[in-house]
Coordinates of all heavy atoms in Angstrom, one line a residue:
D3 N 106.6 -283.7 110.3 CA 106.6 -283.4 108.8 C 105.3 -282.7 108.5 O 105.3 -281.7 107.7 CB 106.7 -284.8 108.1 CG 108.1 -285.4 108.1 OD1 109.0 -284.8 108.7 OD2 108.2 -286.5 107.6
H4 N 104.2 -283.3 108.9 CA 102.8 -282.7 108.6 C 102.7 -281.3 109.0 O 102.2 -280.5 108.3 CB 101.8 -283.6 109.3 CG 100.4 -283.2 109.0 ND1 99.9 -282.9 107.8 CD2 99.3 -283.1 109.9 CE1 98.6 -282.6 107.9 NE2 98.2 -282.7 109.1
M5 N 103.2 -280.9 110.2 CA 103.1 -279.6 110.7 C 104.0 -278.6 109.9 O 103.6 -277.5 109.6 CB 103.5 -279.5 112.2 CG 102.4 -280.2 113.1 SD 100.8 -279.5 112.9 CE 100.0 -280.7 111.9
V6 N 105.2 -279.0 109.6 CA 106.1 -278.2 108.8 C 105.5 -278.0 107.4 O 105.6 -276.9 106.8 CB 107.5 -278.7 108.7 CG1 108.4 -277.9 107.8 CG2 108.2 -278.8 110.1
E7 N 104.9 -279.0 106.8 CA 104.2 -278.9 105.6 C 103.1 -277.9 105.6 O 102.9 -277.1 104.7 CB 103.7 -280.2 105.1 CG 104.8 -281.2 104.7 CD 104.4 -282.6 104.6 OE1 103.2 -282.9 104.8 OE2 105.2 -283.5 104.2
Q8 N 102.3 -277.9 106.7 CA 101.2 -276.9 106.9 C 101.8 -275.5 107.0 O 101.3 -274.6 106.4 CB 100.4 -277.3 108.2 CG 99.7 -278.6 108.2 CD 98.5 -278.5 107.2 OE1 98.1 -277.5 106.8 NE2 98.0 -279.7 106.9
F9 N 102.9 -275.4 107.8 CA 103.6 -274.1 107.8 C 103.9 -273.6 106.5 O 103.7 -272.4 106.1 CB 104.8 -274.2 108.7 CG 105.7 -272.9 108.7 CD1 105.3 -271.7 109.2 CD2 106.9 -273.0 108.0 CE1 106.1 -270.6 109.1 CE2 107.7 -271.9 107.9 CZ 107.3 -270.7 108.4
S10 N 104.6 -274.4 105.7 CA 105.0 -274.0 104.3 C 103.8 -273.6 103.5 O 103.8 -272.5 102.9 CB 105.8 -275.1 103.7 OG 106.1 -274.8 102.3
R11 N 102.8 -274.4 103.4 CA 101.7 -274.2 102.5 C 100.9 -272.9 102.9 O 100.6 -272.1 102.0 CB 100.7 -275.4 102.6 CG 99.5 -275.3 101.7 CD 99.8 -275.0 100.3 NE 100.7 -276.0 99.7 CZ 100.3 -277.2 99.2 NH1 99.0 -277.5 99.2 NH2 101.2 -278.0 98.6
H12 N 100.8 -272.6 104.1 CA 99.9 -271.5 104.5 C 100.7 -270.2 104.7 O 100.1 -269.1 104.7 CB 99.1 -271.8 105.8 CG 98.1 -272.9 105.6 ND1 96.9 -272.6 105.0 CD2 98.1 -274.2 105.8 CE1 96.2 -273.8 104.9 NE2 96.9 -274.7 105.4
S13 N 102.0 -270.3 104.8 CA 102.9 -269.1 104.8 C 103.3 -268.7 103.4 O 103.8 -267.6 103.2 CB 104.1 -269.3 105.7 OG 105.0 -270.3 105.1
L14 N 103.2 -269.6 102.4 CA 103.7 -269.5 101.1 C 105.2 -269.4 101.1 O 105.9 -268.9 100.1 CB 103.1 -268.2 100.4 CG 101.6 -268.3 100.1 CD1 101.2 -267.0 99.3 CD2 101.2 -269.5 99.4
I15 N 105.9 -269.9 102.1 CA 107.3 -270.0 102.2 C 107.7 -271.4 101.7 O 107.3 -272.4 102.3 CB 107.9 -269.7 103.6 CG1 107.5 -268.3 104.1 CG2 109.4 -270.0 103.7 CD1 107.9 -268.0 105.5
D16 N 108.5 -271.5 100.6 CA 108.9 -272.8 100.2 C 109.9 -273.4 101.2 O 110.8 -272.6 101.7 CB 109.6 -272.7 98.9 CG 108.7 -272.3 97.7 OD1 107.5 -272.4 97.9 OD2 109.2 -271.9 96.6
V17 N 109.8 -274.6 101.6 CA 110.6 -275.2 102.6 C 111.1 -276.6 102.1 O 110.3 -277.5 101.8 CB 109.9 -275.4 104.0 CG1 110.8 -276.1 105.0 CG2 109.4 -274.1 104.5
T18 N 112.4 -276.7 102.1 CA 113.1 -278.1 101.9 C 113.7 -278.4 103.2 O 114.6 -277.6 103.7 CB 114.1 -278.1 100.8 OG1 113.4 -277.8 99.5 CG2 114.7 -279.4 100.7
M19 N 113.4 -279.5 103.8 CA 113.9 -279.9 105.1 C 114.2 -281.4 105.2 O 113.3 -282.2 105.1 CB 113.0 -279.5 106.3 CG 113.4 -279.9 107.7 SD 112.2 -279.6 109.0 CE 112.2 -277.8 109.0
H20 N 115.5 -281.7 105.2 CA 115.9 -283.1 105.3 C 116.7 -283.3 106.6 O 117.7 -282.6 106.8 CB 116.7 -283.6 104.1 CG 115.9 -283.6 102.9 ND1 116.5 -283.7 101.6 CD2 114.6 -283.5 102.6 CE1 115.6 -283.6 100.7 NE2 114.4 -283.5 101.2
V21 N 116.2 -284.2 107.5 CA 116.8 -284.4 108.8 C 117.1 -285.9 109.0 O 116.3 -286.7 108.8 CB 115.9 -283.9 109.9 CG1 116.7 -284.0 111.3 CG2 115.5 -282.4 109.7
D22 N 118.4 -286.1 109.4 CA 118.7 -287.5 109.8 C 119.2 -287.4 111.3 O 120.3 -286.9 111.6 CB 119.9 -288.0 109.0 CG 120.3 -289.4 109.4 OD1 119.6 -290.1 110.2 OD2 121.4 -289.8 108.9
G23 N 118.3 -287.7 112.2 CA 118.5 -287.5 113.6 C 118.6 -288.8 114.4 O 118.3 -289.9 113.9
D24 N 119.0 -288.7 115.7 CA 119.2 -289.8 116.5 C 117.9 -290.2 117.2 O 117.7 -290.2 118.4 CB 120.3 -289.5 117.6 CG 120.0 -288.3 118.4 OD1 119.0 -287.6 118.2 OD2 120.8 -288.0 119.4
L25 N 116.9 -290.6 116.4 CA 115.6 -291.0 116.9 C 115.7 -292.3 117.7 O 114.7 -292.6 118.4 CB 114.7 -291.2 115.7 CG 114.3 -289.9 114.9 CD1 113.4 -290.2 113.7 CD2 113.7 -288.8 115.9
H26 N 116.8 -293.0 117.6 CA 116.9 -294.2 118.5 C 117.1 -293.7 120.0 O 116.9 -294.5 120.9 CB 118.1 -295.0 118.1 CG 119.4 -294.3 118.2 ND1 119.8 -293.4 117.3 CD2 120.4 -294.5 119.1 CE1 121.0 -292.9 117.7 NE2 121.4 -293.6 118.8
V27 N 117.5 -292.5 120.2 CA 117.6 -291.9 121.5 C 116.2 -291.4 122.0 O 115.6 -291.9 122.9 CB 118.6 -290.8 121.6 CG1 118.7 -290.2 123.0 CG2 120.0 -291.4 121.2
D28 N 115.7 -290.4 121.3 CA 114.4 -289.8 121.4 C 114.2 -288.8 120.3 O 115.0 -288.6 119.4 CB 114.1 -289.3 122.8 CG 114.9 -288.1 123.2 OD1 115.6 -287.5 122.3 OD2 114.8 -287.7 124.4
Q29 N 113.1 -288.0 120.4 CA 112.8 -287.1 119.4 C 113.3 -285.7 119.7 O 113.1 -284.8 118.8 CB 111.3 -287.0 119.2 CG 110.7 -288.4 118.8 CD 109.2 -288.4 119.0 OE1 108.6 -287.6 119.7 NE2 108.5 -289.3 118.3
H30 N 113.9 -285.5 120.8 CA 114.2 -284.1 121.3 C 115.2 -283.4 120.3 O 115.0 -282.3 119.9 CB 114.8 -284.1 122.7 CG 115.0 -282.8 123.2 ND1 114.1 -282.2 124.1 CD2 116.0 -281.9 123.1 CE1 114.5 -281.0 124.4 NE2 115.7 -280.8 123.8
H31 N 116.3 -284.1 120.0 CA 117.3 -283.4 119.2 C 116.8 -283.1 117.8 O 117.1 -282.0 117.2 CB 118.6 -284.3 119.1 CG 119.2 -284.6 120.4 ND1 119.8 -285.8 120.7 CD2 119.4 -283.8 121.5 CE1 120.3 -285.7 122.0 NE2 120.1 -284.5 122.4
T32 N 116.0 -284.0 117.2 CA 115.5 -283.8 115.8 C 114.5 -282.6 115.8 O 114.6 -281.8 114.9 CB 114.8 -285.1 115.3 OG1 115.8 -286.1 115.1 CG2 114.1 -284.8 114.0
T33 N 113.7 -282.6 116.8 CA 112.7 -281.5 116.9 C 113.4 -280.2 117.1 O 113.2 -279.2 116.4 CB 111.7 -281.7 118.1 OG1 111.0 -283.0 117.9 CG2 110.8 -280.6 118.2
E34 N 114.3 -280.1 118.1 CA 115.0 -278.8 118.4 C 115.9 -278.4 117.3 O 115.8 -277.2 116.9 CB 115.8 -279.0 119.7 CG 116.6 -277.8 120.1 CD 117.4 -278.0 121.4 OE1 118.2 -279.0 121.4 OE2 117.1 -277.3 122.4
D35 N 116.7 -279.3 116.8 CA 117.7 -278.8 115.8 C 117.1 -278.5 114.5 O 117.5 -277.5 113.8 CB 118.7 -280.0 115.6 CG 119.6 -280.2 116.8 OD1 119.4 -279.5 117.8 OD2 120.5 -281.1 116.7
S36 N 116.0 -279.1 114.1 CA 115.3 -278.8 112.9 C 114.7 -277.4 113.0 O 114.7 -276.6 112.0 CB 114.2 -279.8 112.5 OG 113.2 -279.8 113.4
A37 N 114.2 -277.1 114.2 CA 113.6 -275.7 114.4 C 114.6 -274.7 114.4 O 114.5 -273.6 113.8 CB 112.8 -275.7 115.7
I38 N 115.8 -274.9 115.0 CA 116.9 -274.0 115.0 C 117.3 -273.7 113.6 O 117.5 -272.5 113.2 CB 118.1 -274.5 115.9 CG1 117.7 -274.5 117.4 CG2 119.3 -273.7 115.7 CD1 118.7 -275.3 118.2
A39 N 117.5 -274.7 112.8 CA 118.0 -274.6 111.5 C 117.0 -273.9 110.6 O 117.3 -273.0 109.7 CB 118.4 -275.9 110.9
L40 N 115.7 -274.1 110.8 CA 114.7 -273.4 110.0 C 114.7 -272.0 110.4 O 114.6 -271.1 109.5 CB 113.3 -274.0 110.3 CG 112.1 -273.4 109.6 CD1 112.2 -273.5 108.1 CD2 110.8 -273.9 110.1
G41 N 114.8 -271.6 111.6 CA 114.9 -270.2 112.0 C 116.1 -269.5 111.4 O 116.0 -268.4 111.0
Q42 N 117.2 -270.2 111.4 CA 118.4 -269.6 110.9 C 118.3 -269.4 109.4 O 118.7 -268.4 108.9 CB 119.6 -270.5 111.2 CG 120.0 -270.6 112.6 CD 121.1 -271.6 112.9 OE1 121.2 -272.6 112.2 NE2 121.8 -271.5 114.0
A43 N 117.6 -270.3 108.7 CA 117.4 -270.2 107.2 C 116.5 -269.0 106.9 O 116.7 -268.2 106.0 CB 116.9 -271.5 106.6
I44 N 115.5 -268.9 107.7 CA 114.5 -267.7 107.6 C 115.3 -266.4 107.8 O 115.1 -265.4 107.1 CB 113.3 -267.9 108.5 CG1 112.4 -269.0 108.0 CG2 112.5 -266.6 108.6 CD1 111.3 -269.4 109.0
S45 N 116.1 -266.4 108.9 CA 116.9 -265.2 109.2 C 117.8 -264.8 108.1 O 118.0 -263.7 107.7 CB 117.6 -265.4 110.5 OG 118.4 -264.2 110.9
D46 N 118.5 -265.9 107.5 CA 119.4 -265.7 106.4 C 118.6 -265.1 105.2 O 119.1 -264.1 104.6 CB 120.0 -267.0 106.0 CG 121.0 -266.9 104.9 OD1 121.7 -265.9 104.8 OD2 121.1 -267.9 104.1
A47 N 117.4 -265.6 104.9 CA 116.7 -265.1 103.8 C 116.2 -263.7 104.0 O 116.1 -262.9 103.0 CB 115.5 -266.0 103.5
L48 N 115.9 -263.3 105.2 CA 115.4 -261.9 105.5 C 116.5 -260.9 105.4 O 116.2 -259.7 105.1 CB 114.8 -261.9 106.9 CG 113.4 -262.5 107.1 CD1 113.1 -262.7 108.6 CD2 112.4 -261.7 106.5
G49 N 117.8 -261.3 105.6 CA 118.8 -260.3 105.4 C 118.7 -259.2 106.5 O 118.5 -259.4 107.6
D50 N 118.7 -257.9 106.0 CA 118.6 -256.8 106.9 C 117.1 -256.4 107.2 O 116.8 -255.5 107.8 CB 119.4 -255.6 106.4 CG 118.8 -255.0 105.0 OD1 117.8 -255.6 104.6 OD2 119.4 -254.1 104.5

């Protein structure tokens, strides 16, 4: 959370990110999937 907040503040990109992951397993899926979705949202916003 702290690192994504730093990314948002210093890039001036507004970021809303809510994740409900299987942290009872480990942190891998939450870390990976949140990054994939953030990249997809940025790509969507960039358009062409």
Side-chain angles (χ1 to χ4, degrees):
D3 289 357
H4 181 44
M5 290 302 101
V6 176
E7 290 166 358
Q8 294 291 345
F9 167 73
S10 174
R11 179 56 54 86
H12 293 281
S13 67
L14 298 184
I15 297 173
D16 294 346
V17 177
T18 298
M19 176 184 290
H20 293 167
V21 185
D22 180 13
D24 57 356
L25 294 176
H26 63 285
V27 176
D28 66 9
Q29 302 166 339
H30 187 98
H31 298 143
T32 294
T33 299
E34 179 180 59
D35 292 0
S36 66
I38 290 171
L40 177 62
Q42 290 172 337
I44 290 171
S45 181
D46 182 33
L48 283 167
D50 64 4

